[in-house]
Amino acid sequence: MKVLIIEDENLTARRLESLLLKYDPSIEVLAKIPSVAKAVQWFRENPSPDLVFMDIHLDDDLGFRIFEQVQLLVPIIFTTAYDEYMIQAFKVNSIDYLLKPVNYEELVAALNKYQLLKKQAQAATPDLTTLLNLLGKPKETDYKDRFMVTVGTKIRSIETSEIAYFFLEEKVAFLVTQDGLHLPVDYSLDKLTQILNPRQFFRISRQYLVSLSAIETIHTYSSSKLKLDLKPKARHEVFVSGDRITDFKEWLGK
């Protein structure tokens, strides 16, 4: 089976490839593609794969936009950081989906469903109009409300309301809970900015994404820079980038 992975999180793409090979070592992952533009180019230059794993939110746009630019009839298993409203959409359209982080047992079930559809000669292609309407403008309840993170040998569910802020260190994103727990997450800060409620979280710099409740004190550091005291205390000095100060002040006032 030839598989294409369309996913902008490198760690997620590599983990998915590993799980696919665990399911069937003969699976060939043709490519791991991070954006709509690169996926469109790939499809135009290569034969269609047997199966596509596609993230919903990619670097440059919604993954569904790929199918507006190239005509494909290829089975798709979506991966998504969202839960209820997205799951409902997939069920209505008989499309397989996987919630991140991808669970091996759920992956097996999705692949088994694909094999069954293949035997029955049914194409698991999406109703793009319906799905795009559902994805057109996120509602308050559409934003991510929990994260599944690995703590030692266990997987723990962290409610978004428990998170004080996220920060980037050595190219790895960490979440910090209100009680001071630091945990790595399999998302970039760019992706986190897309999937978190903008009323609750603000990207103050390339390194920090903070919740309103985590801001303890704001200092005027210079005419073009603000310094924040966060709770729990951050490992680094935390500044609001100069080009984000106006938007940051507007966000505080909402």
Side-chain angles (χ1 to χ4, degrees):
M1 176 168 47
K2 297 181 184 297
V3 172
L4 181 68
I5 296 175
I6 305 175
E7 166 63 61
D8 63 352
E9 295 288 340
N10 185 48
L11 289 176
T12 299
R14 287 194 282 117
R15 182 171 184 273
L16 178 55
E17 181 179 24
S18 176
L19 293 177
L20 287 169
L21 295 176
K22 178 180 177 180
Y23 173 82
D24 182 355
S26 69
I27 288 176
E28 180 184 357
V29 176
L30 300 174
K32 297 187 285 291
I33 300 174
S35 67
V36 169
K38 290 182 178 179
V40 169
Q41 180 182 357
W42 190 94
F43 280 123
R44 286 174 175 169
E45 296 175 353
N46 297 275
S48 290
D50 298 311
L51 178 64
V52 172
F53 284 84
M54 178 168 51
D55 187 13
I56 301 299
H57 288 85
L58 299 170
D59 271 347
D60 53 352
D61 207 339
L62 293 176
F64 298 120
R65 303 299 182 190
I66 296 166
F67 299 92
E68 296 178 343
Q69 300 178 61
V70 289
Q71 187 172 3
L72 296 169
L73 290 176
V74 57
I76 305 162
I77 295 177
F78 291 102
T79 58
T80 175
Y82 298 104
D83 42 31
E84 294 179 1
Y85 90 107
M86 192 64 67
I87 291 172
Q88 292 169 359
F90 293 149
K91 285 183 177 178
V92 167
N93 293 282
S94 299
I95 300 171
D96 290 313
Y97 67 92
L98 296 170
L99 287 176
K100 296 179 180 179
V102 174
N103 175 280
Y104 179 67
E105 287 72 24
E106 293 176 354
L107 173 65
V108 169
L111 288 168
N112 288 343
K113 181 178 180 182
Y114 160 74
Q115 298 288 3
L116 178 62
L117 289 170
K118 184 178 179 181
K119 288 180 180 178
Q120 296 174 346
Q122 296 178 1
T125 53
D127 176 348
L128 293 179
T129 301
T130 301
L131 290 174
L132 286 170
N133 286 337
L134 286 166
L135 288 165
K137 186 176 181 180
K139 303 185 291 296
E140 190 84 3
T141 56
D142 292 340
Y143 296 107
K144 192 166 180 62
D145 58 9
R146 70 181 63 84
F147 289 82
M148 303 301 293
V149 295
T150 301
V151 183
T153 59
K154 299 180 180 179
I155 295 178
R156 175 175 171 180
S157 175
I158 304 290
E159 298 290 330
T160 302
S161 59
E162 299 177 53
I163 299 172
Y165 53 89
F166 297 84
F167 70 95
L168 189 66
E169 188 170 75
E170 295 183 356
K171 298 183 179 181
V172 177
F174 292 84
L175 68 78
V176 180
T177 63
Q178 293 173 359
D179 57 4
L181 187 64
H182 290 60
L183 298 168
V185 291
D186 192 17
Y187 297 95
S188 66
L189 291 192
D190 287 340
K191 177 57 73 70
L192 288 167
T193 302
Q194 295 175 8
I195 65 179
L196 291 168
N197 190 334
R199 288 185 172 273
Q200 298 174 7
F201 289 87
F202 187 87
R203 179 79 176 274
I204 62 169
S205 66
R206 291 178 61 85
Q207 192 176 10
Y208 274 87
L209 174 65
V210 304
S211 73
L212 186 61
S213 62
I215 301 173
E216 190 168 44
T217 311
I218 304 174
H219 306 274
T220 302
Y221 191 78
S222 70
S223 60
S224 61
K225 189 177 290 188
L226 298 176
K227 181 180 178 181
L228 305 184
D229 292 333
L230 301 180
K231 52 180 182 180
K233 186 176 180 179
R235 293 178 178 176
H236 323 88
E237 288 191 315
V238 180
F239 296 97
V240 181
S241 297
D243 61 344
R244 305 185 189 195
I245 288 178
T246 300
D247 290 340
F248 176 67
K249 290 179 177 178
E250 290 181 358
W251 175 71
L252 289 174
K254 289 182 180 179

